[in-house]
Amino acid sequence: TTPFCILFSGTVSFDTGGQLLVDVIQMLREESPTWAKNIQFEITGKGDCMSQFQCLAEEVKMPMVIVHGRITNSEYHQMLTRTQVGLALKPNLGKLANTTFPSKVIEFASHQILVVSTDISDVRKVLSNGAIYLTNDDPRLLIDKLRWIVENREQANDLALKGARAVNLTCAPEKVGLMLKQFIFAPPILVNK
């Protein structure tokens, strides 16, 4: 019965999905589904959507929103230990979708936190079937995924463990070191003109 801690951290802006999450929280508060009493959103970092989250946090409504703002590395590590779901919400059709990789997904998965991510960049290549993907930027879709997590805690935990294993395989220091070595020291490719 402990509320699921759902973390949105880092750059809290429109370009990283901040507005999508604001819309989700507002919809949940308007509709007040029973299952939503079992979640709370925690927001860390800074960005242009932070004031909207602060307004949501000041309202005493369910689901709860707690805004931490910028915190120390130690405080952030403690937060990761009590987080069950990590959000990476850069819009599928946003300007960052194909040009950046949301490093938060690796951070979350390596802490056995269930990743809910938009389907951008190479996230699927890294996490495979060890995450929940949003194929469009629809608040209703995110709400459906959150409901599934709350109502299927054991399966959600199994999915988080799959994500952790996938990250360990893909991002193991030995494997990444070998890939970097091959990239840096590969013989040059000659092109015939």
Side-chain angles (χ1 to χ4, degrees):
T1 59
T2 305
F4 260 64
C5 175
I6 301 174
L7 178 61
F8 187 63
S9 62
T11 302
V12 180
S13 72
F14 181 83
D15 290 334
T16 61
Q19 187 61 54
L20 173 64
L21 185 55
V22 167
D23 294 344
V24 163
I25 294 167
Q26 289 173 335
M27 290 171 71
L28 287 173
R29 286 182 170 181
E30 288 170 13
E31 298 167 10
S32 194
T34 304
W35 64 267
K37 293 180 176 84
N38 295 314
I39 59 176
Q40 73 180 24
F41 295 94
E42 299 203 30
I43 316 297
T44 68
K46 64 177 188 167
D48 57 26
C49 288
M50 200 58 124
S51 60
Q52 293 180 72
F53 286 109
Q54 191 61 51
C55 289
L56 291 169
E58 289 169 5
E59 299 174 1
V60 183
K61 293 184 178 178
M62 301 300 270
M64 293 296 297
V65 176
I66 301 168
V67 175
H68 301 278
R70 294 187 66 171
I71 57 178
T72 66
N73 287 343
S74 174
E75 291 169 328
Y76 186 67
H77 181 72
Q78 288 174 2
M79 178 165 289
L80 291 175
T81 63
R82 69 172 191 272
T83 296
Q84 287 82 35
V85 179
L87 301 175
L89 302 175
K90 288 180 182 175
N92 285 284
L93 300 176
K95 62 185 177 182
L96 302 176
N98 296 313
T99 58
T100 63
F101 181 86
S103 59
K104 290 286 176 204
V105 302
I106 293 174
E107 181 178 73
F108 293 149
S110 67
H111 284 85
Q112 298 182 0
I113 295 169
L114 177 57
V115 174
V116 176
S117 175
T118 46
D119 197 7
I120 65 166
S121 190
D122 293 333
V123 176
R124 273 192 199 267
K125 288 182 184 174
V126 174
L127 295 181
S128 186
N129 62 352
I132 292 177
Y133 298 98
L134 304 174
T135 54
N136 61 58
D137 306 317
D138 178 4
R140 183 62 55 198
L141 178 60
L142 180 51
I143 288 171
D144 290 345
K145 301 297 185 183
L146 294 175
R147 179 178 183 164
W148 181 87
I149 292 167
V150 169
E151 293 178 348
N152 299 278
R153 288 186 180 218
E154 286 186 29
Q155 291 168 283
N157 187 57
D158 290 345
L159 202 54
L161 294 175
K162 277 185 188 177
R165 284 191 296 272
V167 163
N168 287 338
L169 287 173
T170 306
C171 302
E174 302 79 20
K175 185 171 184 176
V176 173
L178 181 60
M179 289 168 48
L180 279 172
K181 180 180 174 185
Q182 291 170 343
F183 175 76
I184 293 171
F185 300 109
I189 299 172
L190 302 174
V191 178
N192 293 331
K193 292 187 177 186

